[in-house]
Amino acid sequence: MAQPSSCAQSSNGVADESPNMLVYRKMEDIIARMQDEKNGIPIRTVKSFLSKIPSVFSGSDIVQWMQKNLNIEDQVEALHLGTLMAAHGYFFPISDHVLTLKEDGTFYRFQTPYFWPSNCWEPENTDYAVYLCKRTMQNKARLELADLCAESLARLQRAFARKWEFIFMQAEAQAKVDKKRDKIERKILDSQERAFWDVHRPVPGCVNTTEADIKKSSRMKQPHKTRKSVYGLQNDIRSHSPTHTVTPEVKEPTEDELHDQIQHCQEQLDRHRLKMSKVAESLLSFAEQYLEYDPFFTTPEPSNPWISDDVTSWELEACKEAGQQRVKRWAFCFDEVMKDPVGREQFLKFLESEFSSENLRFWLAVQELKKRPIREVPTRVQEIWEEFLAPGAPSAINVDSRSYDKTTQNIKDPGRYAFQDAQEHIYKLMKSDSYSRFIRSSAYQELLQAKKKVQPQNRPRHTHASLC
Amino acid sequence: MACQGLAKGETTNTLKAESESLKAKLEEERAKLHDVELHQVAEKIDALGQFVMKTRRTLKGHGNKVLCMDWCRDKRRIVSSSQDGKVIVWDAYTTNKEHAVTMPCTWVMACAYAPSGCAVACGGLDNKCSVYPLSLDKNENLAAKKKSVAMHTNYLSSCSFTNSDMQILTSSGDGTCALWDVESGQLLQSFHGHSADVLSLDLAPSETGNTFVSGGCDKKANVWDMRSGQNVQSFETHESDINNVKYYPSGDAFATGSDDATCRLYDLRADREVAIYSKDSIIFGASSVDFSLSGRLLFAGYNDYTINVWDVLKGTRVAILFGHENRVSTVRVSPDGTAFCSGSWDNTLRIWA
């Protein structure tokens, strides 16, 4: 049975913590500030009927403190964060199994660090059985088992029928220890223990905050965790225990990996970088240019289907008539023309008028090549070569000699990137040459002024069935 | 031999020292061009007004945590996957379920819609990525036509079709990314460089694009050349796992969401981190991020059950969206930007506009 102090402390401290620990650490920092004598939440003992309610504070106290000390403007946000901290068990309502934060006079109490989630408890059902059993021995009306707990106890009794004697003995031992405590201390500890179980055995309908993301759980494995029993320890179990950190497996890089890293850094050092001011201007102007196309800023015509329950704007989009707004986009940059099927159609028409359409057709054919299954690639490469690049090709394109030589080499062992150099060259050519003329052409200008409508081609409507 | 061991230890140490000093030099070079902050330049543009963003549809039907979703190019259909092993195709507009597949494993962490709209890909704890053609016949058993494409040695964290139904890009807990030919299942290219689980990837939006970015548990975001398999750029400023990466619509930058409770923007031309989106009151990790069409807004889903909407240029938060009752695991904007969808551990998906 492992003591908490046997947990490994990470030598790096915060930096190497697993994701869950990171969050627990942050919540615990907030708790520490809440418990600060000077600037924290005022904790008091409240007199009620014949007894005292020790060590409590109200829901409103918490919310006010959070708004003041955590830079939270909105009350709703403060309530939400507070509810999360309660759901993780850092403080709890003293009279409710449901761990939420309400902004009223409801009383709350802090959880003892022993029960904090950062201790990575994964208490077994045997522990839960000991707890419930113990509760039946404590003869107080206030602590009578709620229906749910009674059901759980019955279920566990059946499940652990053989072990029950042992469980009963543990429960008795625990109850004995508890009896020796001071009445006030017992009240506090009982409530904290109950809150611990509310986190680990939540009431149905409540979020189980101990559920982990399976992708991260492998890094939280500690050999002692699953064997750590809540009740197997001696009398001083409730003393403050250091929260342990997880030392994740740090893979030492191999010599090869280090060589790779060094090479990578050297290559990066040679990179040409832009000044931040230039980059910022570019990001700003892009956002500005596209703001009118962003439905979160400019309502689509005639309406946003999700809001109005009217799909007209989608139908308009699908009918292939390029409206003014859509045509305007093609002038933003060459990529915009190439992205839009109607844009490509119009650009192709324009190139045909200039007798240079083979460039675009080549580019499109290579794009299509890259989308084919690998099995079809060698044949397609041959076809493209014959059509566009071979001596006497019917749609001969003009590429620089370097690209041509490279391509000639590539097609001997044809892969998806056989035409990469040629394609890049042709793209640059179209972008720097034909594209600017296209934008200035009367054909484009007329479309832009919506004088002439784009002739919709015979394409099927974009419904689910006809996409296949 | 003892002295050989000593020599090897020394070589590793000298290599390490060299690597460290080069990294420091790289940071120096990057810092030299840092003449201004993005939010400072953004002071000259107007602040954004109040947004009204509400849940417009709620999709109920998964029996356990929703882990991933993807939009169909038709702007209204989505595919979602869950811890209970189910993958569901919905018409999100009508909220009708159109197809459902039960995977042989639990925790289906990744799913993607094919560009044609005729197939979906998914995978998770089975270490594989499988493609299911979507049949028009509702009675047909989709599982019968299943095609296993990718094989990793650890869980599949993310998958995405390239521009075509014929290739899939995957990322895995085994620390690698890979490009696969769907028809044959052949590995076309693998990408090595992460030193821990890779959790997310995103393809560059350009028509000529041949790159993608990935993020992982080694806190690094790497940009890759799909043709050569080379890591062409690398960023390491997060303090914990990077859960999600997404390109800025221009393709010149990308955003990340991390367990350190921040989202960050990295610009490829400046070769550095250019913005951090964080608040004192946000202490839970960001699981998923996506941009609005113009790139002005960043929607981020968090493990504290909320979605925060950030002004990308000014760095401020413009809205916080409540509604989900457990962690938000995935957030994606629709192809035409009219809405975004969020999936959560509360078993539901929501469409927001």
Side-chain angles (χ1 to χ4, degrees):
Chain A
M1 232 301 310
Q3 302 281 341
S5 53
S6 67
C7 311
Q9 281 277 350
S10 162
S11 52
N12 275 9
V14 181
D16 286 342
E17 278 183 323
S18 76
N20 274 24
M21 279 301 166
L22 210 54
V23 184
Y24 293 148
R25 197 66 71 217
K26 290 182 191 171
M27 285 195 277
E28 285 160 18
D29 283 345
I30 296 175
I31 292 290
R33 287 169 62 191
M34 282 181 173
Q35 290 175 323
D36 180 65
E37 275 189 22
K38 268 200 242 143
N39 302 315
I41 300 177
I43 305 174
R44 51 195 197 275
T45 299
V46 172
K47 287 214 174 80
S48 118
F49 299 131
L50 303 160
S51 61
K52 292 191 213 160
I53 308 177
S55 195
V56 290
F57 43 93
S58 74
S60 345
D61 288 340
I62 303 177
V63 175
Q64 274 167 34
W65 186 92
M66 288 176 89
Q67 279 185 276
K68 185 166 155 218
N69 291 278
L70 294 178
N71 257 327
I72 300 178
E73 313 94 38
D74 183 15
Q75 197 190 70
V76 176
E77 220 191 316
L79 266 172
H80 183 81
L81 180 57
T83 295
L84 274 170
M85 293 182 70
H88 279 87
Y90 282 101
F91 50 76
F92 54 92
I94 59 172
S95 330
D96 201 343
H97 280 292
V98 178
L99 300 170
T100 50
L101 177 62
K102 294 199 191 112
E103 204 205 356
D104 54 16
T106 315
F107 288 130
Y108 295 79
R109 196 171 277 147
F110 283 116
Q111 180 59 281
T112 176
Y114 179 75
F115 281 137
W116 281 357
S118 49
N119 283 335
C120 297
W121 292 106
E122 255 183 33
E124 307 274 324
N125 275 333
T126 41
D127 279 344
Y128 192 41
V130 167
Y131 168 65
L132 290 173
C133 199
K134 178 172 72 156
R135 289 282 302 277
T136 63
M137 296 170 183
Q138 287 161 335
N139 211 0
K140 286 176 190 113
R142 212 169 16 89
L143 293 180
E144 233 173 63
L145 287 184
D147 285 335
L148 228 47
C149 294
E151 262 177 54
S152 301
L153 180 58
R155 207 176 9 98
L156 289 166
Q157 261 177 310
R158 287 195 296 275
F160 293 127
R162 294 214 200 114
K163 281 204 215 181
W164 201 256
E165 205 180 311
F166 174 70
I167 289 174
F168 192 84
M169 270 165 41
Q170 296 265 65
E172 261 187 337
Q174 289 295 315
K176 239 183 178 174
V177 168
D178 286 347
K179 275 210 174 80
K180 290 196 191 136
R181 292 187 200 278
D182 158 77
K183 197 165 106 176
I184 296 287
E185 199 193 348
R186 222 187 325 168
K187 255 194 205 168
I188 296 176
L189 293 171
D190 281 344
S191 67
Q192 288 172 332
E193 193 183 10
R194 193 192 70 186
F196 171 78
W197 287 110
D198 285 337
V199 170
H200 290 273
R201 297 289 184 277
V203 170
C206 290
V207 174
N208 184 345
T209 56
T210 63
E211 270 185 319
D213 184 341
I214 205 166
K215 297 182 295 222
K216 324 267 175 165
S217 61
S218 63
R219 284 177 294 150
M220 285 162 19
K221 274 202 176 40
Q222 302 143 67
H224 59 270
K225 182 166 68 166
T226 50
R227 283 159 196 67
K228 190 163 74 176
S229 158
V230 184
Y231 298 111
L233 299 175
Q234 291 110 27
N235 286 0
D236 58 348
I237 55 172
R238 309 297 171 87
S239 57
H240 183 102
S241 53
T243 49
H244 56 257
T245 53
V246 181
T247 334
E249 288 171 20
V250 179
K251 279 199 290 186
E252 279 301 306
T254 63
E255 246 186 68
D256 281 339
E257 281 171 356
L258 285 167
H259 277 297
D260 283 340
Q261 275 178 25
I262 290 168
Q263 194 191 358
H264 180 85
C265 276
Q266 281 165 342
E267 284 165 7
Q268 293 300 301
L269 277 166
D270 290 333
R271 170 182 296 280
H272 171 65
R273 290 175 192 81
L274 284 187
K275 270 204 289 198
M276 194 53 225
S277 44
K278 262 199 151 165
V279 161
E281 289 297 337
S282 162
L283 290 169
L284 255 71
S285 63
F286 181 88
E288 200 186 358
Q289 194 173 46
Y290 284 87
L291 221 60
E292 72 172 280
Y293 299 92
D294 188 337
F296 280 97
F297 291 94
T298 314
T299 315
E301 296 281 325
S303 62
N304 184 325
W306 299 103
I307 301 177
S308 65
D309 288 342
D310 169 11
V311 296
T312 311
S313 76
W314 283 339
E315 285 169 352
L316 286 176
E317 213 11 72
C319 88
K320 291 290 146 205
E321 279 205 13
Q324 219 176 353
Q325 210 195 22
R326 188 168 165 181
V327 173
K328 191 166 116 174
R329 260 177 104 145
W330 303 343
F332 290 173
C333 66
F334 187 39
D335 227 39
E336 284 290 341
V337 174
M338 299 299 258
K339 256 189 348 199
D340 187 345
V342 180
R344 284 199 301 266
E345 254 178 71
Q346 292 303 308
F347 187 50
L348 186 66
K349 265 216 196 107
F350 171 75
L351 290 176
E352 276 165 2
S353 73
E354 292 205 329
F355 303 103
S356 60
S357 68
E358 63 277 356
N359 286 340
L360 181 57
R361 285 188 291 116
F362 168 71
W363 190 87
L364 290 171
V366 178
Q367 286 296 87
E368 190 53 38
L369 167 71
K370 290 191 268 192
K371 293 182 189 181
R372 302 312 304 158
I374 200 89
R375 175 182 49 88
E376 293 178 15
V377 165
T379 331
R380 277 302 288 152
V381 167
Q382 212 35 50
E383 287 170 5
I384 293 175
W385 172 259
E386 297 294 325
E387 176 73 20
F388 295 100
L389 286 159
S395 310
I397 55 169
N398 248 332
V399 287
D400 60 306
S401 53
R402 195 190 67 101
S403 305
Y404 193 83
D405 289 339
K406 262 196 149 182
T407 312
T408 319
Q409 280 299 106
N410 289 346
I411 59 159
K412 292 187 185 151
D413 183 17
R416 293 160 61 235
Y417 293 103
F419 298 108
Q420 194 63 15
D421 296 282
Q423 194 192 25
E424 277 168 20
H425 177 89
I426 291 294
Y427 187 84
K428 284 199 191 117
L429 196 64
M430 290 193 291
K431 179 175 171 178
S432 60
D433 194 26
S434 326
Y435 172 63
S436 43
R437 283 202 302 280
F438 169 64
I439 297 300
R440 283 175 289 153
S441 72
S442 52
Y444 175 75
Q445 290 301 321
E446 277 171 24
L447 280 176
L448 192 58
Q449 274 137 51
K451 280 198 191 136
K452 201 162 67 170
K453 278 209 166 173
V454 175
Q455 300 297 1
Q457 277 203 338
N458 252 356
R459 284 169 187 257
R461 297 282 304 271
H462 274 238
T463 57
H464 179 68
S466 53
L467 271 177
C468 311
Chain B
M1 292 251 335
C3 43
Q4 267 183 8
L6 203 63
K8 196 172 171 71
E10 275 171 7
T11 327
T12 317
N13 282 336
T14 31
L15 283 177
K16 260 197 199 167
E18 197 184 336
S19 177
E20 292 303 312
S21 88
L22 276 175
K23 278 189 193 160
K25 206 163 168 230
L26 186 56
E27 283 317 303
E28 252 180 65
E29 287 300 310
R30 282 170 162 174
K32 276 185 191 162
L33 294 165
H34 192 187
D35 53 347
V36 75
E37 294 285 349
L38 175 60
H39 64 84
Q40 286 171 316
V41 176
E43 270 163 25
K44 63 185 178 196
I45 55 176
D46 292 334
L48 298 175
Q50 285 280 51
F51 280 93
V52 174
M53 279 182 224
K54 292 202 269 204
T55 301
R56 306 289 173 174
R57 303 286 190 280
T58 306
L59 305 175
K60 296 189 188 170
H62 276 295
N64 210 322
K65 310 177 178 65
V66 175
L67 302 175
C68 187
M69 63 83 44
D70 190 17
W71 287 90
C72 175
R73 283 192 185 181
D74 74 355
K75 308 157 198 168
R76 54 190 285 173
R77 282 177 176 75
I78 64 170
V79 61
S80 61
S81 66
S82 160
Q83 189 195 338
D84 66 358
K86 288 242 173 28
V87 174
I88 300 179
V89 174
W90 316 69
D91 177 345
Y93 184 74
T94 60
T95 73
N96 288 339
K97 299 184 200 39
E98 297 193 337
H99 304 273
V101 178
T102 306
M103 293 282 282
C105 67
T106 59
W107 288 89
V108 187
M109 303 169 202
C111 62
Y113 227 118
S116 69
C118 296
V120 294
C122 53
L125 279 189
D126 57 350
N127 299 358
K128 293 197 266 202
C129 184
S130 308
V131 175
Y132 292 84
L134 294 177
S135 168
L136 292 173
D137 176 4
K138 301 293 169 75
N139 293 324
E140 186 168 357
N141 181 12
L142 286 185
K145 294 259 176 78
K146 165 177 159 176
K147 199 184 213 335
S148 266
V149 175
M151 285 276 243
H152 279 279
T153 54
N154 206 330
Y155 64 84
L156 185 83
S157 54
S158 177
C159 63
S160 174
F161 284 89
T162 61
N163 255 330
S164 142
D165 281 22
M166 293 295 130
Q167 283 117 35
I168 290 193
L169 194 56
T170 58
S171 67
S172 165
D174 66 14
T176 69
C177 299
L179 181 68
W180 310 83
D181 178 68
V182 172
E183 193 195 55
S184 63
Q186 189 185 330
L187 172 67
L188 298 172
Q189 183 63 258
S190 68
F191 305 89
H192 298 261
H194 278 288
S195 50
D197 306 17
V198 186
L199 297 178
S200 171
L201 60 84
D202 191 33
L203 280 149
S206 156
E207 281 307 287
T208 54
N210 234 14
T211 59
F212 71 95
V213 62
S214 67
C217 298
D218 57 0
K219 311 173 201 168
K220 285 206 213 136
N222 290 337
V223 181
W224 306 87
D225 179 320
M226 288 214 294
R227 180 186 179 190
S228 63
Q230 290 303 307
N231 171 4
V232 296
Q233 242 173 319
S234 190
F235 303 88
E236 192 175 354
T237 62
H238 271 293
E239 294 167 15
S240 186
D241 300 5
I242 295 178
N243 294 315
N244 202 226
V245 291
K246 275 293 161 50
Y247 269 96
Y248 184 76
S250 72
D252 294 318
F254 65 90
T256 53
S258 162
D259 275 334
D260 65 10
T262 71
C263 298
R264 297 178 197 227
L265 186 70
Y266 297 88
D267 188 285
L268 300 174
R269 300 158 298 183
D271 190 35
R272 57 175 304 142
E273 172 194 296
V274 300
I276 305 185
Y277 309 101
S278 68
K279 252 180 170 287
D280 285 344
S281 54
I282 301 176
I283 60 176
F284 285 79
S287 60
S288 185
V289 295
D290 204 356
F291 287 98
S292 73
L293 209 125
S294 64
R296 184 67 194 270
L297 298 175
L298 182 71
F299 304 105
Y302 289 78
N303 291 339
D304 66 3
Y305 321 171
T306 68
I307 296 163
N308 288 292
V309 185
W310 300 91
D311 179 333
V312 170
L313 303 174
K314 286 187 181 279
T316 53
R317 181 178 68 187
V318 296
I320 175 169
L321 304 173
F322 298 98
H324 277 298
E325 294 168 10
N326 205 326
R327 296 193 194 191
V328 178
S329 53
T330 178
V331 168
R332 289 186 97 140
V333 173
S334 72
D336 64 351
T338 48
F340 70 88
C341 178
S342 61
S344 161
W345 280 21
D346 68 5
N347 306 1
T348 71
L349 295 123
R350 285 171 180 244
I351 309 287
W352 306 77

